Amino acid sequence: MELLKIFIWFSCTLSIAQESFKVQGLVLSEGIPLPYANIYAENTKKGAITDDKGKFSISNLEPGTYSIVASFTGYTKKKKTVTITDKDLKIIFHLNESDALNEVIITGTLKPVSRLESPVPVEVYNNTFLKKNPTPNIFEALQNVNGVRPQLNCNICNTGDIHINGLEGPYTLVLIDGMPIVSGLSTVYGLSGIPNSLIEQIEVVKGPASSLYGSEAVGGLINIITKLPENAPRFFADGFATSWGEANLDAGFKSKVGKKATVLVGTNYFKYDQLIDNNNDNFTDLTLQDRISIFQKWDFKRSNKRKFSLAGRYFYEDRWGGELQWNDNFRGGDEVYGESIYTSRFELLGNYQLPTTEKIDFQFSYSDHDQNSVYGNIPYLAQQRIGFGQLIWDKKINNHDLLFGSTLRYNFYNDNTTATLKADEVTIPSIFVQDEISFNKKQSLLLGIRYDYDCRHGNIFTPRIAYRYKPTDEDIIRLNAGTGFRVVNLFTEEHAALTGARDVIIEETLEPEQSYNVNLNYLKKFYLKNSMYFTFDTSAWYTYFTNAIIPDYDTNPNQIIYDNLDGYSTSKGLSLNIDAVFGSGISGSIGATYQDISQTENGVKSKQILTESFSGVWSFSYKNYATNLAFDYTGSLYGPMRLPLLGELDPRREFSPTWSIQNIQVTFDGFNNFEIYGGVKNLLNWTPNKGNPFIIARADDPFDENVEFDNNGNVVATQNNPFALTFDPSYVYGPNQGIRAFFGLGYKLN
């Protein structure tokens, strides 16, 4: 009898254990049912999609505790923990719109503020934006930002700079966590090797920001903000490879160290070693690269929630391009042409809030960049060191939000070229004050001024004013005006300075470049039925430059002549960004920019070289929650730009055609913590050699052994050189890399 009771009890227990239940519910947004929302039980393969009435049902759940998650594109994700014992459950989710415009930004005013409340228009691009078109570095990723273009300056070594609204690289300041450690010589290298998984967001300000950031922020600035360790995943790894043979790997982790410290560690490794010459000029189409970067960031808990963070990064790269038969044995010689660059740099940056009753932060950074490179048989050895310290006092008095700052910046630069007669070493002290006045919820006014003392140029003042008017919750008008300045640096990595011994001629005492800018921005939001909304963001700008300093290599081929422009230059244009979120997992954005950049000297107006008159970018995404598949289509379009010809006989195009780079990607994230992605880059297989007889001038004679010159140093046309050219790889306006497939795998443990 006892055995029978035990058998019956065991059978009932087994029956209950095998019984399954379901979770039913409803997803609402502002009381309205939200169709096609994604519902799933975390860490399981159980999930559902809401129907037209916002209802869902997840079946076959065994007894236990589950985290049920509701998500929908454009809405903040919600999670509820439920425990299933012996019956079905019903739950209701209320999702709120996740408006990217409410992101917290720092760059515009040097303090955290809602993007909607900032009097300075700031564009924000988060990690999701970077994942739509995975790239091995931030430099390439910026090609999908409206009005921003990574410009390659050399067909062989692939170095370049970043143009904002058509202005060249020296006018763009690049920051990491607000610190000016990426500058001048190091722009391309400083933007490589930062794992995309460690980037919280990228903030872009278009127009002068010198009143807060000093020299170099004349055309605009880009601030790359890395994640706080507490916000990063516990472990992450992401790697992808392309059909061209490129391989990129990001990996990292975070860990608690004791009770008061958290550390975030990230590494990036990139390798490309394939010899590809699709344009048949015996030169590599893409620079071969081998680089590694190690990043570490510490966050310390202090009393009264005071901040203290410290970060460091080391970067090393070996890159080369040139004739296909080149190897290290030919480095620096004149037998086989190659451009070989060894780069070693380290960076340190931190933020420490002083233990005072007032909110005072001390921010600091230091970077050391060492470059050992050769261009054919011409060595280019350069060092750049930047030290930076800044005290910021944030004080609120009634409706005045005040900011006081004191800055000390140390710049050191030296190289072995004739453009640098002696090491450029200077320490620049600065002070600035800013007052943001809130009249009411609709209107605010920002006033600011900065004072810099440069021993080479004396006193420099840069004021600015910004006005924000918000007539409704869906409309914002911003008017910004101010000045900018840039001090001259007589160093360059241009090939023209490395082609032979040139005398440096400074015709006058060089004055800092000055700019005067006005920018009008209008932002409009539309909320439609069926969970759709649109954002329109449009700007018009005008910038006037005086004292522009442009090195002249053309007047005399034996000289580099520096002087201030005898006239003025201008930058003016219009830009429009449209972001849209539709139902059913569809979202998209499109941007367009029209610009006119020119200089006028002695009454003669000329267009700036390598500057497009119009450009466009777009991104369209679709997420199918039922299959866990996401599709991304991104692209960019550039109008004609004037190209650097070598003379009247040069047969290459004087203007580029309108050209476009387009990419497509498919991502599957149906596995726990894993995602798989792949796609095609440069779908149109566009390269700049199409329509040109050649890209690199005199590729068959890279050391100009068969070039004849007259007594004035001008090239003479001969039977072997009918176009009167010298070897020149600077005729470049886009990448030589054609169509290619890519495949990647990512893992993240939160």
Side-chain angles (χ1 to χ4, degrees):
M1 190 69 179
E2 286 297 322
L3 289 174
L4 180 61
K5 290 181 180 180
I6 293 173
F7 176 77
I8 294 173
W9 175 84
F10 180 78
S11 299
C12 293
T13 302
L14 183 64
S15 175
I16 294 173
Q18 291 179 337
E19 189 174 359
S20 62
F21 301 93
K22 59 184 175 182
V23 173
Q24 297 174 307
L26 183 65
V27 178
L28 303 173
S29 174
E30 297 183 354
I32 300 174
L34 188 61
Y36 312 117
N38 187 35
I39 314 296
Y40 60 94
E42 211 170 47
N43 299 320
T44 74
K45 295 184 179 181
K46 304 295 178 63
I49 303 293
T50 58
D51 60 19
D52 292 341
K53 297 180 180 179
K55 296 180 179 180
F56 70 90
S57 177
I58 303 176
S59 303
N60 300 321
L61 292 172
E62 296 178 359
T65 300
Y66 297 88
S67 293
I68 308 298
V69 180
S71 67
F72 188 75
T73 303
Y75 288 75
T76 302
K77 184 184 295 185
K78 288 289 182 66
K79 181 190 298 186
K80 290 191 176 185
T81 301
V82 299
T83 300
I84 299 176
T85 54
D86 57 357
K87 62 179 179 179
D88 297 339
L89 294 181
K90 291 186 178 181
I91 56 177
I92 298 177
F93 286 98
H94 296 272
L95 297 189
N96 299 318
E97 290 187 38
S98 175
D99 191 346
L101 294 171
N102 288 325
E103 291 170 308
V104 174
I105 58 173
I106 300 172
T107 309
T109 58
L110 267 181
K111 61 176 68 180
V113 63
S114 165
R115 186 181 171 197
L116 284 175
E117 301 304 318
S118 172
V120 179
V122 179
E123 297 179 14
V124 180
Y125 301 90
N126 57 25
N127 189 262
T128 302
F129 167 83
L130 298 175
K131 292 176 65 175
K132 292 181 180 181
N133 178 31
T135 61
N137 56 62
I138 302 300
F139 180 79
E140 292 182 33
L142 292 172
Q143 67 181 313
N144 289 326
V145 177
N146 187 24
V148 177
R149 184 169 68 87
Q151 167 63 44
L152 293 176
N153 294 328
C154 172
N155 264 306
I156 297 176
C157 63
N158 288 168
T159 55
D161 53 33
I162 297 172
H163 293 200
I164 293 183
N165 286 348
L167 296 178
E168 296 176 324
Y171 297 90
T172 299
L173 179 63
V174 180
L175 311 169
I176 297 180
D177 286 338
M179 299 292 103
I181 57 179
V182 180
S183 178
L185 171 68
S186 61
T187 298
V188 172
Y189 315 107
L191 288 178
S192 298
I194 304 176
N196 287 351
S197 300
L198 295 183
I199 296 175
E200 183 72 29
Q201 62 191 40
I202 299 174
E203 300 180 2
V204 180
V205 176
K206 299 173 182 177
S210 295
S211 63
L212 277 184
Y213 295 95
S215 181
E216 297 181 45
V218 181
L221 64 89
I222 298 169
N223 190 7
I224 299 168
I225 300 175
T226 60
K227 290 182 181 293
L228 292 172
E230 61 193 49
N231 296 336
R234 279 194 291 166
F235 177 81
F236 69 89
D238 189 289
F240 70 86
T242 73
S243 57
W244 270 52
E246 300 162 286
N248 185 80
L249 175 65
D250 292 342
F253 65 91
K254 74 173 179 181
S255 176
K256 287 188 177 295
V257 182
K259 296 182 178 180
K260 295 187 176 181
T262 306
V263 62
L264 173 63
V265 178
T267 60
N268 169 259
Y269 180 69
F270 178 78
K271 178 80 171 181
Y272 173 70
D273 58 2
Q274 302 297 311
L275 293 174
I276 295 180
D277 179 24
N278 289 336
N279 56 19
N280 300 314
D281 59 4
N282 195 45
F283 276 79
T284 53
D285 288 349
L286 181 66
T287 304
L288 281 68
Q289 302 169 55
D290 189 359
R291 70 167 177 262
I292 187 168
S293 174
I294 302 172
F295 177 89
Q296 193 172 94
K297 187 172 185 177
W298 292 76
D299 193 29
F300 300 91
K301 288 186 177 180
R302 299 171 59 210
S303 60
N304 299 317
K305 296 183 179 181
R306 293 190 178 97
K307 300 176 185 176
F308 180 32
S309 63
L310 189 65
R313 185 171 74 113
Y314 177 73
F315 172 94
Y316 179 80
E317 181 182 62
D318 176 2
R319 69 162 61 194
W320 79 269
E323 294 186 274
L324 301 182
Q325 63 271 32
W326 188 92
N327 59 51
D328 287 346
N329 296 326
F330 297 107
R331 194 175 195 268
D334 57 4
E335 296 181 53
V336 179
Y337 190 90
E339 296 183 359
S340 171
I341 303 171
Y342 302 148
T343 303
S344 176
R345 65 179 278 118
F346 70 84
E347 305 156 353
L348 177 70
L349 59 152
N351 185 8
Y352 179 79
Q353 186 175 344
L354 300 185
T356 58
T357 54
E358 297 290 341
K359 190 178 184 303
I360 303 176
D361 289 344
F362 175 58
Q363 300 173 337
F364 55 92
S365 67
Y366 179 79
S367 65
D368 189 293
H369 183 103
D370 184 88
Q371 185 165 320
N372 180 326
S373 52
V374 293
Y375 299 86
N377 58 353
I378 305 295
Y380 177 71
L381 310 175
Q383 300 83 39
Q384 184 175 40
R385 295 191 286 270
I386 302 174
F388 179 82
Q390 178 170 266
L391 279 170
I392 298 178
W393 178 22
D394 188 354
K395 180 70 174 178
K396 290 186 178 181
I397 303 176
N398 297 325
N399 64 332
H400 294 265
D401 195 348
L402 296 164
L403 190 75
F404 301 92
S406 176
T407 299
L408 190 67
R409 176 166 172 160
Y410 168 77
N411 288 341
F412 173 87
Y413 177 85
N414 195 22
D415 67 28
N416 65 317
T417 71
T418 56
T420 304
L421 300 178
K422 63 178 181 178
D424 181 25
E425 186 172 17
V426 64
T427 301
I428 303 175
S430 314
I431 57 173
F432 59 87
V433 61
Q434 176 181 277
D435 183 13
E436 185 175 352
I437 309 167
S438 297
F439 298 111
N440 48 52
K441 290 184 178 180
K442 293 185 175 182
Q443 298 185 74
S444 65
L445 179 69
L446 183 144
L447 303 172
I449 188 168
R450 180 186 179 103
Y451 165 74
D452 293 78
Y453 177 76
D454 189 319
C455 60
R456 300 166 297 181
H457 306 293
N459 304 318
I460 302 173
F461 292 92
T462 47
R464 76 164 171 172
I465 183 172
Y467 172 70
R468 181 185 65 88
Y469 177 54
K470 190 177 179 182
T472 71
D473 290 338
E474 287 75 39
D475 297 89
I476 304 174
I477 300 171
R478 298 180 177 98
L479 179 64
N480 283 250
T483 66
F485 77 96
R486 185 174 74 91
V487 298
V488 63
N489 291 296
L490 295 184
F491 62 84
T492 179
E493 198 179 17
E494 296 178 17
H495 275 54
L498 303 169
T499 54
R502 287 175 178 249
D503 295 326
V504 176
I505 306 298
I506 302 176
E507 294 195 335
E508 59 184 358
T509 301
L510 296 174
E511 299 296 330
E513 293 189 32
Q514 297 278 351
S515 70
Y516 305 88
N517 170 269
V518 61
N519 181 302
L520 179 62
N521 172 261
Y522 174 61
L523 187 144
K524 174 70 175 178
K525 298 183 293 181
F526 288 99
Y527 294 94
L528 305 178
K529 295 181 179 179
N530 302 321
S531 306
M532 293 191 298
Y533 71 84
F534 293 82
T535 302
F536 293 83
D537 190 347
T538 184
S539 294
W541 78 88
Y542 178 83
T543 307
Y544 180 93
F545 293 91
T546 64
N547 297 332
I549 302 167
I550 303 173
D552 178 6
Y553 298 96
D554 301 321
T555 301
N556 189 321
N558 298 311
Q559 297 177 341
I560 305 175
I561 302 173
Y562 288 93
D563 64 349
N564 288 110
L565 181 68
D566 185 15
Y568 61 91
S569 60
T570 60
S571 169
K572 52 190 175 184
L574 298 167
S575 69
L576 172 66
N577 286 302
I578 302 175
D579 295 288
V581 173
F582 304 93
S584 305
I586 301 174
S587 62
S589 66
I590 186 169
T593 297
Y594 168 79
Q595 58 196 17
D596 180 14
I597 293 88
S598 64
Q599 62 185 48
T600 302
E601 187 169 21
N602 299 322
V604 178
K605 180 180 178 180
S606 59
K607 294 282 187 181
Q608 180 172 287
I609 203 167
L610 289 172
T611 304
E612 68 281 6
S613 57
F614 64 87
S615 64
V617 296
W618 61 86
S619 170
F620 296 99
S621 301
Y622 169 63
K623 178 65 182 285
N624 186 291
Y625 293 100
T627 60
N628 295 300
L629 288 173
F631 301 86
D632 293 293
Y633 169 52
T634 58
S636 54
L637 176 75
Y638 303 103
M641 60 186 76
R642 189 165 67 92
L643 302 175
L645 299 180
L646 294 181
E648 295 181 356
L649 299 178
D650 194 330
R652 294 173 294 183
R653 286 179 167 179
E654 181 181 1
F655 289 89
S656 69
T658 298
W659 54 282
S660 176
I661 299 290
Q662 300 178 28
N663 320 284
I664 192 168
Q665 176 179 259
V666 180
T667 304
F668 176 76
D669 60 2
F671 303 117
N672 290 338
N673 303 323
F674 283 94
E675 69 175 15
I676 302 172
Y677 58 91
V680 179
K681 291 178 179 288
N682 197 355
L683 283 166
L684 304 181
N685 196 27
W686 177 89
T687 54
N689 62 297
K690 295 180 179 180
N692 271 307
F694 51 83
I695 294 294
I696 299 177
R698 301 286 296 174
D700 59 338
D701 185 19
F703 296 100
D704 289 336
E705 295 176 347
N706 300 313
V707 177
E708 296 183 15
F709 299 88
D710 61 20
N711 294 332
N712 295 321
N714 298 313
V715 181
V716 177
T718 63
Q719 184 176 358
N720 292 328
N721 188 13
F723 304 121
L725 304 176
T726 57
F727 174 70
D728 175 43
S730 64
Y731 182 93
V732 56
Y733 55 93
N736 286 321
Q737 211 174 1
I739 189 171
R740 59 204 182 278
F742 67 94
F743 176 81
L745 175 66
Y747 175 79
K748 185 183 294 184
L749 180 63
N750 291 314

